[in-house]
Amino acid sequence: MCTDQMSTRTSTSRRIFIEQASALAAAPMLASLGMTETLAQSAQDYKALVCIFMFGGNDGNNLLIPRDPSDWNQYAGPRGRLAIPRDQTLSIKPSNVQGREFGLHPAMTGIQTLFTSGKAALVANLGTLAAPLTKAQYQNNQAQKPSNLFSHSDQQFLWNTGIADNSLRSGWGGRLGDRVAAMNQSGSLATCLSVGGNSTFLNGDTIRPFPVSPSGQFGLDFLDSSTSGNGETAALSQGMTQMLAQPQANVMDGVWLEILGGSIVNQRQFSSALNGAPLFQTAFPDTGLASALKMVARLISVRSTFGAKRQVFFAGIGGFDTHGEDQPQRQQELLGEVSNAMTAFYNATVELGVGSNVTAFTASDFGRNFPTNGRGSDHGWGSHHLVVGGGVKGNALYGTFPTLVVDGPDDAGEGRWIPTTSVDQYAATMASWFGVNSGDVNLVFPNLKRFASANLGFMF
């Protein structure tokens, strides 16, 4: 059965519990919350990357639409019932595309405003690639293709690892975290933070992500419940407290309890910091993604508590596997949620004084095929993505927009666009802005040298 594979489900298994406890305790214990004023003023050297993963494979053909009449007609024919009327698209005129006009999906009014004000950019026909690939090479098997194309789980994995021809288990966000953790006073603890559940993206070679729910829960919060009250939670808290205090004859049991105890200390440090976080004047919508990004903004607001100068975040939104007749309505809802949440998040970073220090960007399993299947659209490959922030060279379209012709020069078959820009290039451009030197960028993305450009130029 086809599924979004969104990895935000709660697990009660002992294995997951141990993994989460280990992640919470993986870094050295935090220093006192009373940081110096000098540390609090270090925001000018602060940078953060925020990955927003659209689980299920977003149909980018309806995110970015050609608006010139002849181009729109070429778009509308194969799209059939999925085609968005030209006059309903939100007009944008990228400054670097010689006057060509495009339209955004009508639900993305916030992104339209950010784009025209120079705070958002689009990257066209982006996807997983092991190396540059032409249609002839693809058809004749003359070059390596990403493994298991068009599979949700495999393509999510390759997007998150940033290496399309390797089974490396670390993610490119985590590998960036490995290289910047030393800049943070708290080491790895506050470097990689997930508000989207377990994610390969934030797993480094040495670093592990710190999980936080959008509501601010850390998984062990019941331990702060009153042990003198009645109820299951109080009893569990009391029992856990007693267990932690007991000496253990078994070495492994002792190690496990030490990890658990450390995770509790770290959790309480984060909880204490978030309790003192400022309230936002920015209004966030009441949606799942907006709640996650609001938590990211709150975590950014307390960065000086942890001496964090570099941070990588992960958030997710599911529902993009739109094969059926409900695709137009689903995309209206989902892309509206993405646009509104990313807009509120950008406004919150401006309110915090770090609008130019934080970059949010989208990722997804893959695009979807161009012609309708009669109802919705099926699994594709290349797609279009958003980059938002004050550090973005906005009001511009990067990469190469595909030729919207079934069996045309960009079609791998059935209207699945062969990417002309790789995940490696997209990610490496942001890594350079993040402050990772060129030598380390090439270590994080070992296939980058296969591509003509290591920097797409969309960041200042």
Side-chain angles (χ1 to χ4, degrees), residues 212-300:
V212 186
S213 78
S215 64
Q217 301 300 304
F218 295 86
L220 299 170
D221 305 81
F222 66 87
L223 290 170
D224 289 325
S225 302
S226 171
T227 57
S228 60
N230 296 319
E232 245 177 68
T233 301
L236 181 59
S237 178
Q238 186 175 15
M240 185 72 76
T241 301
Q242 291 172 350
M243 182 182 70
L244 289 169
Q246 292 175 356
Q248 300 294 320
N250 184 288
V251 173
M252 292 304 296
D253 287 345
V255 170
W256 184 79
L257 289 178
E258 184 178 351
I259 290 173
L260 183 59
S263 72
I264 294 167
V265 171
N266 292 338
Q267 168 189 290
R268 287 170 176 164
Q269 298 273 19
F270 264 101
S271 295
S272 177
L274 287 172
N275 286 339
L279 297 176
F280 292 115
Q281 293 182 357
T282 298
F284 280 81
D286 185 18
T287 63
L289 181 60
S291 296
L293 293 182
K294 183 176 182 179
M295 175 52 64
V296 172
R298 291 183 66 203
L299 289 165
I300 290 172

Side-chain angles (χ1 to χ4, degrees), residues 135 138-139 150 369 406-407 410-418:
K135 180 176 180 176
Y138 176 84
Q139 291 178 327
F150 320 125
N369 66 338
V406 176
D407 296 327
D410 297 312
D411 187 5
E414 302 179 11
R416 293 163 161 167
W417 308 134
I418 300 172

Side-chain angles (χ1 to χ4, degrees), residues 94-107:
S95 60
N96 61 341
V97 192
Q98 299 180 347
R100 188 176 181 185
E101 186 179 8
F102 289 87
L104 292 172
H105 189 282

Side-chain angles (χ1 to χ4, degrees), residues 28 160 320 342 353 362 369 371 397:
N160 285 324
F320 287 91
M342 292 185 77
T362 61
N369 66 338
L397 175 63

Side-chain angles (χ1 to χ4, degrees), residues 346-366:
Y346 171 73
N347 291 337
T349 64
V350 172
E351 185 180 337
L352 291 171
V354 292
S356 296
N357 306 77
V358 179
T359 299
F361 61 94
T362 61
S364 192
D365 321 14
F366 37 60

Side-chain angles (χ1 to χ4, degrees), residues 73 77 86 188 235 240 278 314 325 341 349 361 411 438:
N73 288 333
R86 179 179 176 275
S188 64
M240 185 72 76
F314 179 85
E325 293 182 358
T349 64
F361 61 94
D411 187 5
S438 59

